Amino acid sequence: MARTGGCICGAVRYEAEGGPGFGACHCGTCRRWASGPFMAMQVESLRLVQGEDQVRTYKSSDWATRSFCGVCGSNLWYRLEGAEPRKGYFLSVGTLDDQSGLSLDEEVFSDHKPESYDFFRQASRKVTETELFAQFGQG
């Protein structure tokens, strides 16, 4: 399925083919990078439409690199080193323009998942967008 997306500030824009399934990674590196589980969709193709010069990439392990927007810092994707280019990209689901129709198919490093990440079983306060903005005098 064709999908579009980009970073928060709009400096980086892309087109990708992938989905509808995505996964959540609970490894220590992903949790540090995303401040929680990193939710990513393996894509069959990824084409930068805008901002190639703004993408920053670093080697995060012996087997992967991670890329982010150099302007706003949005985490964009990680790429498996040595993988076939069409199979090696895992795109941050949060950067998609439209996340409808997606399904969480897999959680990896599930044995590293902190107990506090059990969002649906814990009794936490649920606050809507309208309620939150009202608390800050916005809206």
Side-chain angles (χ1 to χ4, degrees):
M1 178 175 204
R3 299 192 179 267
T4 59
C7 63
I8 293 170
C9 72
V12 177
R13 298 287 304 156
Y14 63 79
E15 293 176 350
E17 291 284 334
F22 70 95
C25 182
H26 300 286
C27 79
T29 303
C30 281
R31 286 188 285 126
R32 285 182 182 264
W33 196 44
S35 191
F38 181 62
M39 292 184 276
M41 174 177 59
Q42 187 171 12
V43 295
E44 297 168 17
S45 67
L46 176 65
R47 184 175 79 81
L48 288 172
V49 176
Q50 174 181 309
E52 184 173 351
D53 58 330
Q54 299 302 329
V55 175
R56 304 293 180 262
T57 301
Y58 65 98
K59 189 172 177 83
S60 59
S61 68
D62 290 339
W63 51 274
T65 59
R66 294 175 187 260
S67 296
F68 62 96
C69 173
V71 178
C72 67
S74 294
N75 298 327
L76 299 168
W77 59 78
Y78 75 86
R79 182 172 182 277
L80 299 176
E81 289 292 306
E84 177 186 340
R86 290 175 42 95
K87 303 290 184 190
Y89 284 93
F90 291 81
L91 187 63
S92 172
V93 170
T95 64
L96 293 169
D97 293 331
D98 181 4
Q99 297 175 19
S100 62
L102 296 179
S103 61
L104 177 63
D105 291 346
E106 180 177 49
E107 292 184 61
V108 297
F109 286 87
S110 60
D111 54 329
H112 294 247
K113 179 179 173 180
E115 290 178 18
S116 61
Y117 285 8
D118 200 357
F119 300 119
F120 298 103
R121 290 194 183 145
Q122 293 183 10
S124 60
R125 188 170 72 124
K126 309 294 188 246
V127 180
T128 67
E129 175 184 7
T130 302
E131 293 167 338
L132 181 67
F133 284 162
Q135 289 176 14
F136 296 115
Q138 304 294 313

